[in-house]
């Protein structure tokens, strides 16, 4: 008998169906050993040796696996990346297997042929990969366990620092400060609406030159300058100077890797990185599809853009059969991975069977799984299809000393767009000839202001981290989750990251006192060194020592140098007379006496005081006592003043004077999610589940009668009918 061990029970169930009765497949339910939670767990004096323990929740699983492994040949089939390799090694250690002799198999996809092929080609545990993952774990533990307590002492408890998360926070903070410092510049553009003599069709041409010199984007600074040009333009004759027609090709995008999958899923569906990876894991491990259960996609943590030769051949055959020869290629297209340290031996994320189209899986996948699978299927097909072809026209038009340009394009062959559709609109210009005189219909001056750089969305942040070599495919989603969980950043109404006050404080302390920890270049170089450990070019312990020596010296110095953050108020304690300061508690700011711990006087912050006044008339419906404003990590709420005798609580909901359009009984109220993101929902919830992210207005859409909302300072229909 042979025992195959994988991480997940779903994966175990899928693989078991592919194997004969001589195999038993069991799950480790994730990690079976880790560093201890409450102590450092790294012996700094003994070459940074980690002290691994079996967590309480894994002890039962380890005992069961030990029993299963008795008198059986054990095959470790954990994921193919570094973390999977480390889990395989930890399993070998926890089960007392001979790590140097225990068989290890890897596969890109969970299909019968892939598993059978892996079993025919076993290898042993790759200790270079194990060491690289171990080095990362020890490094992150040293930074987290040593630096986080300093943040607790100097700012507030519950904070954390980390190599990748602190760099991500710095990017968001620096972008916010760029926005704050930004000063908009006014500029003007001028377009001419033109038409052929005695024709109805008009087209727009943009002013681009004067006296043969190009007008730069911010060339027209003021309205006065634009008006002077308008006066001159009204007197000019408009004549076609040149016509340039050419064929333009739009190349298909590369297949998906982890970062691009997360970016596209965020852009198209609004999925978070964490949500995308959860859905991708489900598709990878196997979803019931009729009688067969197999993985629908290849491994989803990858930075490679490679596709297997056999799969490429199958794809070209499928394209010919499905769409005809013109939509296939004479030979497969290959893509070069741009990200640093990419594992070229791995594959991009693709369907395990290209002929399994999304429509055939509709009854087996939930809507979100289907969306993600369709994206992967379409993108994979598209990358092996011909480019889209356009006929492009550029028309140069003269108006005295001024030059205008009109552009048009027409799709002549859809190519990859047949499966990977993008929003396109043909812009057809009328048939024109050189030296033809055109009729001016109207001059259209427009005032513009330069815009500040955009705040980071999840997709933008992942792309920036990847481009700078920060983190690896497995780290993007947890990094973004942790900076939100620590309340360092929040997502605004546009799903863009903004730093909180606590995030700004943490970032500024780290930038000033621990510049290496938040330095993009330093962090990227560390990632490259970890890659060298994985390749067997470096030993992991000297790498940690090189980092930790200067870090420890600086940590001791800064512990004495940095003063505890306190914001003076100019107000004084009513009990002892010392000045009140603003402190950060578990759930936000509060006022406290600077004489603490001798004097323990505290009071609510100004926002809570305002709420207390607003709800001062509220009484407890259980015992009749006054209700008081309290704060939790989910925001403010009303609690009975007789707590703990009476534990009645009540939500604080702010009405906005708009009736619920769905049930006509409730009022729309302002609410807050667990992530402190504002939304608007019906007061009759859960009877009525109507909700909106954008602020509702007491107006109806003139086109469809739906509720109007405010978004980015503009009134729009909540159904986006226009």
């Amino acid at each position: 008998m042979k025992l195959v061990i994988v991480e997940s029970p779903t994966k175990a169930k899928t693989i078991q169906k592919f194997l004969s009765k001589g195999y038993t497949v069991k799950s480790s339910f994730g990690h079976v050993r880790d560093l201890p939670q409450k102590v450092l767990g790294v012996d700094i004096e003994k070459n940074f040796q980690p002290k691994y323990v079996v967590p309480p929740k894994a002890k039962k699983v380890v005992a069961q696996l030990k029993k299963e492994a008795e008198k059986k040949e054990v095959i470790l089939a954990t994921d193919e990346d570094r973390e999977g390799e480390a889990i395989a090694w930890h399993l070998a250690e926890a089960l007392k297997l001979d790590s140097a002799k225990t068989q290890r198999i890897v596969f890109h996809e969970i299909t019968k042929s892939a598993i059978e092929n892996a079993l025919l080609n076993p290898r042993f545990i790759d200790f270079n990969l194990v060491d690289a993952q171990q080095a990362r774990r020890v490094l992150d533990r040293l930074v987290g366990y040593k630096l986080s307590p300093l943040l607790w002492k100097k700012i507030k408890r519950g904070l954390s620092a980390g190599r990748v998360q602190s760099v991500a926070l710095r990017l968001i903070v620096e972008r916010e400060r760029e926005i704050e410092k930004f000063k908009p510049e006014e500029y003007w553009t001028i377009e001419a609406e033109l038409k052929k003599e005695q024709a109805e069709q008009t087209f727009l041409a943009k002013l681009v030159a004067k006296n043969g010199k190009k007008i730069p984007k911010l060339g027209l600074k003021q309205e006065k300058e634009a008006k002077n040009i308008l006066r001159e333009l009204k007197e000019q004759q408009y004549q076609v100077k040149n016509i340039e027609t050419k064929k333009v090709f739009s190349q298909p995008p590369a297949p998906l890797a982890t970062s691009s999958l997360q970016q596209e899923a965020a852009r198209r569906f609004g999925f978070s990185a964490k949500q995308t990876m959860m859905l991708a894991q489900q598709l990878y491990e196997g979803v019931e599809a009729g009688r067969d259960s197999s993985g629908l996609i290849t491994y989803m943590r990858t930075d490679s853009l490679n596709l297997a030769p056999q799969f490429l051949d199958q794809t070209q055959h499928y394209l010919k059969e499905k769409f005809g020869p013109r939509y296939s290629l004479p030979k497969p297209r290959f893509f070069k991975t741009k990200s640093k340290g990419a594992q070229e031996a791995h594959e991009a994320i693709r369907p395990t069977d290209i002929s399994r189209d999304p429509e055939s899986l509709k009854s087996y996948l939930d809507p979100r799984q289907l969306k993600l699978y369709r994206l992967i299927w379409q993108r994979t097909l598209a990358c092996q299809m011909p480019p889209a072809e356009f006929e492009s026209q550029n028309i140069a038009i003269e108006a005295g000393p001024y030059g205008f340009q009109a552009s048009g394009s027409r799709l002549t062959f859809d190519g990859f767009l047949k499966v990977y559709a993008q929003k396109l609109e043909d812009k057809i210009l009328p048939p024109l000839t050189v030296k033809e005189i055109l009729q001016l219909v109207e001059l259209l001056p427009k005032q513009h202001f330069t815009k500040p750089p955009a705040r980071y969305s999840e997709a933008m942040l992942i792309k920036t981290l990847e481009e700078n070599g920060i983190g690896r495919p497995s780290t993007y989603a947890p990094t973004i989750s942790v900076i939100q969980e620590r309340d360092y950043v929040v997502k605004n109404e546009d799903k863009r990251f903004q730093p909180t006050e606590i995030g700004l404080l943490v970032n500024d302390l780290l930038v000033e006192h621990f510049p290496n920890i938040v330095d993009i270049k330093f962090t990227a170089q560390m990632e490259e060194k970890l890659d060298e450990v994985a390749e067997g070019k470096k030993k992991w312990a000297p790498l940690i020592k090189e980092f930790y020596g200067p870090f420890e010296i600086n940590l001791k110095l800064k512990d004495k140098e940095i003063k505890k953050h306190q914001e003076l108020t100019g107000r004084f304690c009513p009990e002892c007379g010392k000045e009140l300061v603003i402190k950060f508690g578990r759930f936000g700011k509060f006022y406290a006496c600077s004489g603490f711990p001798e004097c323990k006087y505290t009071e609510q912050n100004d926002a809570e005081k305002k709420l207390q006044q607003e709800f001062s008339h509220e009484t407890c419906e259980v015992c009749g006592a006054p209700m008081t404003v309290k704060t939790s990590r989910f925001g403010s709420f009303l609690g009975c003043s007789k707590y703990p005798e009476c534990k009645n609580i009540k939500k604080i909901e702010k009405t906005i004077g708009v009736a619920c359009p769905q049930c006509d009984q409730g009022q729309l109220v302002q609410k807050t999610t667990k992530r402190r993101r504002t939304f608007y929902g019906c007061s009759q919830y859960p009877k009525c589940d109507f909700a909106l992210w954008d602020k509702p207005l007491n107006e109806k859409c003139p086109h469809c009668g739906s509720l109007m909302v405010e978004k980015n300072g503009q009134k729009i229909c909540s159904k986006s009918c226009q």
Side-chain angles (χ1 to χ4, degrees):
M1 285 291 289
K2 295 183 180 182
L3 173 65
V4 178
I5 305 177
V6 297
E7 303 98 323
S8 115
T10 307
K11 192 174 170 182
K13 183 181 174 186
T14 305
I15 292 174
Q16 183 70 73
K17 292 182 180 181
F18 302 146
L19 301 179
S20 65
K21 291 180 181 178
Y23 289 90
T24 303
V25 186
K26 294 292 179 182
S27 165
S28 70
F29 292 85
H31 290 266
V32 294
R33 292 202 315 169
D34 199 359
L35 296 173
Q37 278 193 335
K38 295 183 179 179
V39 293
L40 180 63
V42 177
D43 194 334
I44 294 166
E45 303 303 321
K46 292 184 179 176
N47 230 11
F48 303 96
Q49 199 60 38
K51 300 174 182 177
Y52 295 112
V53 297
V54 176
K57 65 177 183 179
K59 285 182 177 177
K60 187 177 177 183
V61 174
V62 169
Q64 289 171 343
L65 290 175
K66 267 186 183 176
K67 194 172 180 182
E68 285 281 350
E70 288 175 8
K71 298 179 182 177
K72 285 180 187 168
E73 183 183 333
V74 178
I75 301 168
L76 302 174
T78 49
D79 288 339
E80 63 172 341
D81 59 5
R82 291 176 200 175
E83 189 171 358
E85 203 71 26
I87 291 174
W89 175 69
H90 283 300
L91 277 165
E93 293 293 305
L95 303 181
K96 308 261 190 262
L97 308 173
D98 186 338
S99 300
K101 294 180 181 177
T102 301
Q103 285 194 340
R104 165 93 168 107
I105 62 169
V106 292
F107 36 84
H108 298 315
E109 59 189 56
I110 304 175
T111 58
K112 193 173 193 298
S113 59
I115 302 304
E116 287 174 347
N117 186 58
L119 288 168
L120 290 172
N121 297 281
R123 61 170 174 81
F124 299 116
I125 292 170
D126 186 332
F127 287 97
N128 290 332
L129 294 181
V130 172
D131 284 349
Q133 184 62 24
Q134 187 162 247
R136 179 186 292 280
R137 188 74 185 93
V138 169
L139 195 57
D140 290 342
R141 174 55 67 100
L142 290 171
V143 172
Y145 259 65
K146 293 289 185 175
L147 193 47
S148 298
L150 184 74
L151 296 178
W152 304 348
K153 283 169 69 178
K154 306 303 180 183
I155 301 177
K156 77 158 193 170
R157 289 195 66 81
L159 303 180
S160 71
R163 292 181 316 108
V164 178
Q165 76 174 61
S166 297
V167 174
L169 174 62
R170 181 178 186 173
L171 288 168
I172 293 165
V173 169
E174 288 184 349
R175 179 59 56 87
E176 192 67 24
R177 287 186 169 142
E178 282 180 60
I179 294 167
E180 287 169 2
K181 289 176 186 175
F182 182 81
K183 292 181 181 177
E185 287 185 60
E186 180 185 4
Y187 70 100
W188 288 74
T189 58
I190 296 172
E191 287 184 315
E193 186 179 1
L194 302 166
K195 68 174 186 172
K196 290 169 70 76
E197 293 286 348
Q198 299 176 349
E200 289 188 11
Q201 182 189 355
T202 65
F203 63 95
L204 294 176
K206 186 176 180 180
L207 176 66
V208 293
K210 182 179 181 182
N211 295 322
K213 290 184 179 179
K214 186 179 176 183
I215 298 172
K217 182 184 175 181
L218 307 181
L220 303 181
K221 294 280 188 186
Q222 297 174 342
E223 185 178 9
K224 184 180 177 183
E225 189 180 358
K227 282 182 175 178
N228 289 337
I229 293 173
L230 286 170
R231 275 194 296 271
E232 292 181 38
L233 286 171
K234 285 174 184 175
E235 309 301 322
Q236 305 302 326
Q237 183 184 66
Y238 292 76
Q239 185 178 41
V240 177
K241 182 185 177 185
N242 185 48
I243 300 174
E244 186 184 78
T245 303
K246 61 181 178 180
K247 197 177 237 186
V248 176
F249 297 90
S250 175
Q251 296 295 336
L256 292 163
T258 304
S259 62
S260 50
L261 176 68
Q262 291 170 350
Q263 290 166 47
E264 277 297 287
R267 188 176 66 82
R268 290 182 171 221
F269 317 129
F271 291 172
S272 68
K274 186 176 180 180
Q275 186 180 18
T276 298
M277 294 312 287
M278 177 194 72
L279 294 169
Q281 183 91 31
Q282 292 164 1
L283 295 174
Y284 166 69
E285 289 185 342
V287 179
E288 290 293 336
R291 294 179 184 175
D292 274 339
S293 175
S294 62
L296 295 176
I297 64 169
T298 52
Y299 191 54
M300 63 286 154
R301 292 187 184 91
T302 177
D303 44 18
S304 174
L305 299 182
N306 282 344
L307 292 171
Q310 186 182 357
F311 176 79
L312 289 171
D313 292 340
Q314 290 169 352
T315 302
Q316 290 305 320
H317 178 73
Y318 179 81
L319 287 167
K320 283 176 191 170
E321 292 289 315
K322 181 86 174 173
F323 304 113
R326 197 179 173 193
Y327 288 94
S328 66
L329 298 172
K331 58 181 181 179
R333 185 185 285 114
F334 296 93
F335 294 86
K336 181 70 179 170
T337 305
K338 292 179 182 177
S339 66
K340 297 176 183 178
Q343 302 297 304
E344 294 292 352
H346 297 172
E347 276 197 83
I349 303 167
R350 61 163 175 84
T352 54
D353 181 354
I354 199 66
S355 66
R356 192 179 274 174
D357 66 75
E359 295 307 306
S360 69
L361 297 171
K362 262 188 171 178
S363 54
Y364 309 115
L365 302 181
D366 71 34
R368 294 181 310 161
Q369 291 171 338
L370 185 62
K371 278 182 179 180
L372 199 67
Y373 181 78
R374 182 179 282 114
L375 170 63
I376 295 165
W377 183 82
Q378 290 175 335
R379 181 78 168 241
T380 308
L381 268 185
C383 82
Q384 294 303 312
M385 293 176 76
E389 297 175 17
F390 297 83
E391 184 182 81
S392 172
Q393 262 194 335
N394 277 315
I395 313 292
I397 298 163
E398 272 188 338
Y402 295 99
F404 283 80
Q405 188 171 355
S407 300
S409 66
R410 180 172 62 89
L411 181 67
T412 55
F413 172 60
D414 54 1
F416 77 91
L417 295 174
K418 192 168 191 72
V419 297
Y420 199 67
Q422 296 173 7
K423 285 185 180 179
L424 294 171
E425 197 175 303
D426 282 349
K427 188 179 176 186
I428 309 294
L429 295 172
L432 301 169
T433 57
V434 175
K435 295 188 178 179
E436 182 176 354
I437 304 300
L438 301 171
Q439 186 179 328
L440 175 66
V441 178
E442 188 180 3
L443 288 167
L444 304 166
K446 284 185 183 176
Q447 183 187 37
H448 307 270
F449 291 93
T450 54
K451 292 181 179 178
R455 292 186 176 97
Y456 285 103
S457 63
E458 277 206 19
M460 287 168 62
L461 186 60
I462 289 166
K463 186 178 181 183
T464 305
L465 290 170
E466 183 188 33
E467 286 174 347
N468 285 283
I470 307 296
R472 288 296 178 259
S474 60
T475 64
Y476 301 134
T479 295
I480 287 171
S481 291
V482 80
I483 59 175
Q484 292 178 88
E485 287 161 7
R486 295 285 181 267
D487 199 28
Y488 291 164
V489 300
V490 292
K491 280 185 181 176
N492 63 16
E493 290 80 2
D494 300 324
K495 296 188 177 180
R496 304 274 174 154
F497 288 122
Q498 284 184 256
T500 61
E501 189 173 357
I502 202 77
L504 291 168
L505 281 171
V506 168
N507 176 74
D508 292 350
L509 184 147
L510 294 175
V511 169
E512 183 180 351
H513 300 287
F514 298 90
N516 278 356
I517 298 297
V518 288
D519 181 73
I520 291 172
K521 203 169 184 179
F522 179 85
T523 308
Q525 286 171 349
M526 184 60 74
E527 292 289 0
E528 288 171 9
K529 289 174 183 176
L530 290 170
D531 290 340
E532 288 178 18
V533 173
E535 293 161 13
K537 295 176 183 176
K538 274 186 184 290
K539 296 293 182 185
W540 74 271
L543 173 62
I544 304 295
K545 187 177 181 181
E546 181 187 344
F547 165 81
Y548 187 72
F551 173 71
E552 185 183 36
I553 292 167
N554 191 43
L555 191 68
K556 289 176 180 175
L557 177 69
K558 296 301 178 181
D559 190 24
K560 295 174 184 175
E561 183 184 315
I562 302 171
K563 292 181 180 177
K564 184 170 176 64
H565 174 79
Q566 286 189 337
E567 197 177 323
L568 300 175
T569 63
R571 294 176 51 230
F572 297 93
C573 176
E575 292 185 3
C576 74
K578 289 185 178 176
E579 189 167 5
L580 292 178
V581 294
I582 296 173
K583 289 187 175 181
F584 285 96
R586 284 178 67 202
F587 309 127
K589 289 181 174 183
F590 65 96
Y591 292 107
C593 180
S594 57
F596 181 85
E598 289 77 18
C599 177
K600 296 180 180 177
Y601 176 81
T602 61
E603 61 180 62
Q604 293 172 320
N605 64 38
D606 293 337
E608 288 173 351
K609 286 179 185 177
K610 190 176 177 182
L611 279 174
Q612 190 65 62
Q613 289 174 353
E614 193 177 334
F615 292 94
S616 58
H617 61 284
E618 292 280 342
T619 55
C620 176
E621 57 264 41
V622 175
C623 70
M627 296 292 273
T628 184
V629 174
K630 298 179 183 289
T631 307
S632 75
R633 67 191 183 97
F634 303 128
S636 299
F637 65 96
L638 294 174
C640 183
S641 57
K642 284 196 173 179
Y643 179 87
E645 289 82 14
C646 177
K647 295 179 180 178
N648 183 37
I649 61 171
K650 196 174 178 182
K651 287 182 181 178
I652 291 178
E653 293 181 335
K654 187 177 178 183
T655 59
I656 56 172
V658 179
C660 176
Q662 185 166 292
C663 68
D664 290 326
Q665 294 178 359
Q667 290 285 314
L668 295 186
V669 293
Q670 184 177 311
K671 299 184 177 187
T672 308
T673 68
K674 290 181 180 180
R675 298 264 189 221
R676 301 192 187 181
R677 188 178 168 196
T678 300
F679 72 102
Y680 303 87
C682 182
S683 58
Q684 295 291 308
Y685 181 83
K687 288 182 183 177
C688 176
D689 61 0
F690 181 82
L692 290 166
W693 288 115
D694 302 310
K695 186 177 181 180
L697 301 171
N698 210 1
E699 295 179 34
K700 289 191 175 178
C701 174
H703 301 285
C704 70
S706 300
L707 200 65
M708 295 290 282
V709 295
E710 183 183 311
K711 186 170 185 176
N712 299 330
Q714 293 184 323
K715 292 181 183 180
I716 61 168
C717 173
S718 59
K719 300 285 187 186
S720 302
C721 73
Q722 290 291 306

